Amino acid sequence: MPIDRDKALNADPGVREIGWTTRDVLLYHLSLGAGAAAATDPELHLTYEKGLTVLPTFALVAGTGISAGQAPAPGVEMPGIDVDLRAVLHAGQGLTVHRPLPAAGTATLRSRVAEVWDKGKAALVVLESAATGPDGEPLWTTTTGIWVRGEGGFGGEPGPEERWRAPDRAADAVLTTATTPQQALWYRLNGDLNPLHADPAFARSAGFEQPVLHGLASYGLLAKALVDGVLDGDVTRLTGLTVRFAGPLVPGESITTSVWRDAAPADEGTERLLLHAACPDRDGAPVLTHATATVRS
């Protein structure tokens, strides 16, 4: 069986050392459109090394950027997980930041399979990675949902039901972010060199009319829109972001994010935002759904 659930869940975590520089952070921010209006607002807190602050979602590419040398090969390499990459979809992404990220640094990254859910025709593999700094203190934790077609039906639990629901009222904020035709070419320099995001012929062979933007690029665009449009430009106020990937975004299209402030109780000093991101260029086709952000008040 390509997925051995017991072996995957009981395996020792994979451990590796990662590092990043200010150049990696600057490139990440530029790949999300920072400084696009440089004549009027260069966004120096994101585009200039003096006083540089770090978008929390940089954690998803830390250790894979230009300073890392050879980019890691795409794949899901975990004990008990042996699947055909053509059957794999990035289903969802979660991030919790435990303290503001430094503009340059090193970390120890421990990764494991947290769960394998049986979805009938597919399996949902949940990967968890936790980064700690040189002082041993936690930096961030990520959860990545991997949808593997054809690997369900093994008699496992389907997993908890998601209870996300948009409030029955107008959004408290609507944020529109434009992308550029070369956006995916910029973003892939963060480490994901999949030709799906650059080569038109490869994209057509995968069922797309043209190259599409990375899912994590859409994720980063949403985070930057929140910081700019709701959090007064303060990257440290965004402490968590969870999304489900619902559809592709083509470079050059826009993404519109609806934001609702959740009335449900949150931890002291924080609040929860409910989010839905869609593409207005394609009649509101969903891009990121079932999304929540945790922010400092």
Side-chain angles (χ1 to χ4, degrees):
M1 179 179 175
I3 296 180
D4 185 330
R5 181 178 182 275
D6 290 339
K7 182 177 180 180
L9 296 183
N10 293 314
D12 292 333
V15 181
R16 65 187 181 98
E17 302 298 319
I18 62 172
W20 62 95
T21 69
T22 56
R23 290 189 178 190
D24 296 311
V25 174
L26 291 169
L27 176 59
Y28 177 72
H29 292 164
L30 291 172
S31 75
L32 296 179
T40 56
D41 181 11
E43 298 185 278
L44 294 182
H45 64 295
L46 298 178
T47 61
Y48 186 44
E49 56 274 18
K50 292 185 178 180
L52 182 64
T53 61
V54 185
L55 277 170
T57 49
F58 173 76
L60 276 301
V61 302
T64 66
I66 54 176
S67 69
Q70 181 68 34
V76 182
E77 296 184 1
M78 291 281 184
I81 307 293
D82 179 17
V83 296
D84 186 342
L85 286 180
R86 292 171 295 184
V88 168
L89 294 173
H90 192 171
Q93 187 63 54
L95 167 67
T96 299
V97 177
H98 304 294
R99 54 178 163 152
L101 304 186
T106 61
T108 300
L109 194 66
R110 292 176 171 81
S111 303
R112 68 185 184 96
V113 176
E115 191 50 88
V116 181
W117 301 116
D118 187 346
K119 296 296 186 179
K121 294 182 178 180
L124 180 63
V125 180
V126 181
L127 309 178
E128 181 182 272
S129 294
T132 54
D135 57 3
E137 294 297 314
L139 281 171
W140 68 78
T141 303
T142 68
T143 55
T144 302
I146 303 296
W147 187 268
V148 189
R149 296 189 298 266
E151 296 298 334
F154 55 84
E157 294 293 326
E161 293 185 13
E162 294 194 44
R163 299 184 180 276
W164 191 100
R165 183 178 179 181
D168 187 19
R169 58 181 172 83
D172 296 303
V174 178
L175 313 170
T176 299
T177 305
T179 68
T180 64
Q182 72 270 33
Q183 194 114 30
L185 301 178
W186 275 103
Y187 191 86
R188 66 196 303 268
L189 299 181
N190 294 306
D192 185 348
L193 298 178
N194 188 330
L196 175 65
H197 308 296
D199 185 340
F202 186 92
R204 286 192 294 271
S205 72
F208 297 95
E209 294 183 2
Q210 62 192 90
V212 296
L213 199 61
H214 306 64
L216 285 181
S218 299
Y219 182 79
L221 289 168
L222 185 152
K224 185 175 183 300
L226 277 181
V227 169
D228 293 343
V230 177
L231 304 180
D232 303 317
D234 186 352
V235 300
T236 67
R237 290 182 61 192
L238 178 61
T239 60
L241 181 61
T242 299
V243 307
R244 180 188 292 179
F245 296 112
L249 192 68
V250 173
E253 294 179 332
S254 296
I255 182 170
T256 297
T257 303
S258 299
V259 183
W260 295 268
R261 297 187 184 278
D262 190 5
D267 292 337
E268 185 176 357
T270 68
E271 64 177 318
R272 195 169 74 127
L273 305 178
L274 303 178
L275 316 165
H276 178 86
C279 177
D281 305 285
R282 282 184 281 111
D283 298 321
V287 178
L288 303 170
T289 64
H290 295 73
T292 61
T294 304
V295 302
R296 288 196 295 105
S297 304

